[in-house]
Amino acid sequence: MKLTDMRDLLAKRDIQLTKSLGQNFLHDANQLERIAAAAELTAADKVLEIGPGLGPLTELLLKQAGQVLAVELDGRLVDFLQERYTAQLAGETDPQLELHHDDALKFLQREPRDWRDWKLVANLPYSVASPILVELAVGARAPKMMVATLQLEVAQRLMATTDDDHYGILTLLVQLDFAPRGWFKIPPGCFFPAPEVDSACVSLMRRAVPLLAEEQREIFRRVVKKSFSQRRKMMLKLLKQEWPKEKLEAAFAELKISPQERAEKLSLEQFVALVKILAPVAGA
Ligand code: SAM
């Protein structure tokens, strides 16, 4: 959909875009193609799209994947998509497109589906991009791949490694189950209206073998959140507020982590090793 078509369409339907819903629509055909290409779609793929908007990405997803489930909060856009994709929505038993008028975060929380066979491909509403990604990524039934367009700063947090200023809670919560695969910047001018921040598309692949057992995940989340609760403080000191001092000191010694270390210096692998000591599971 060209920029002129997009403007005409919005004017004809008298739709004023809502800033708080992150309604910056992507009109650049090359960038849309690059996003779809990053997802390496085949007719066997099932795709979850959050925030289809006027459906420029949906169009490519419907061409390249077998099934698309889209969740859009704005009723005006849902009405438009229903008209635009009547054929794909039709079919009592096997429609290619399933469209939900809903808040994606609530939808994901209310209907905890098994997304393991799905790929997320979305140009996310920036204000809720992180909670949506965390909701999808931390579950045991996370999608096999996530290709998400979001604020550059959030993309940098998802891709970050130790010592990077962007490294933190979001990095570790998502990277526990997903390995970053690649990313590219998308200039503001590719969107209508142009956002005030830079954007990027990131690709994340679910790890073939989970780094932790199911029952250790909650401890991992608690350890990470506590360790970064005061970035400049020594993490051992922070963790002592919740775990026994002796156990922690022994674990730090075993892992050769300095008692003075701050959380931002510890790699994902070191956090995983620490959790394995704090919360051992039988047979592991
Ligand atoms: N995919 C379209 C595109 O690339 O042009 C639109 C992307 S726009 C950045 C984000 C879309 O998410 C908007 O259509 C907005 O209405 C929708 N949205 C905002 N908050 C939402 C939420 N909580 N749940 C579902 N959709 C949401």
Side-chain angles (χ1 to χ4, degrees), residues 21-26 51-53 56 71-73 77 102-104 123 125:
L21 289 183
Q23 292 180 338
N24 301 95
F25 295 152
L26 194 49
V71 188
E72 172 57 59
L73 181 58
L77 302 173
D102 209 338
D103 179 323
N123 175 13

Side-chain angles (χ1 to χ4, degrees), residues 209-255:
V209 181
L211 299 180
L212 286 173
E214 196 46 44
E215 55 271 44
Q216 291 171 318
R217 290 161 172 279
E218 186 47 36
I219 304 290
F220 177 84
R221 284 194 277 277
R222 277 176 53 204
V223 167
V224 166
K225 285 184 179 169
K226 195 74 206 168
S227 302
F228 281 93
S229 58
Q230 287 166 281
R231 249 186 126 90
R232 299 287 154 213
K233 279 209 172 161
M234 292 180 272
M235 64 177 276
L236 179 59
K237 226 173 180 176
L238 294 166
L239 291 175
K240 278 180 186 168
Q241 296 168 8
E242 286 195 30
W243 283 272
K245 180 174 177 285
E246 299 70 31
K247 201 169 181 180
L248 283 168
E249 284 172 355
F252 271 58
E254 188 181 331
L255 297 172

Side-chain angles (χ1 to χ4, degrees), residues 6 17-27 32 35 49-58 70-77 81 100-107 121-128 132 149 190-192:
M6 201 175 260
L17 295 182
T18 312
K19 205 173 172 186
S20 61
L21 289 183
Q23 292 180 338
N24 301 95
F25 295 152
L26 194 49
H27 57 77
L32 287 159
I35 296 171
E49 186 189 10
I50 288 169
L54 293 170
L57 184 58
T58 321
V71 188
E72 172 57 59
L73 181 58
D74 189 330
R76 302 169 302 175
L77 302 173
L81 291 169
H100 292 260
H101 178 197
D102 209 338
D103 179 323
L105 193 55
K106 290 189 188 144
F107 173 83
V121 187
N123 175 13
L124 291 170
Y126 292 180
S127 58
V128 281
I132 285 174
T149 299
C190 296
F191 299 86
F192 174 74

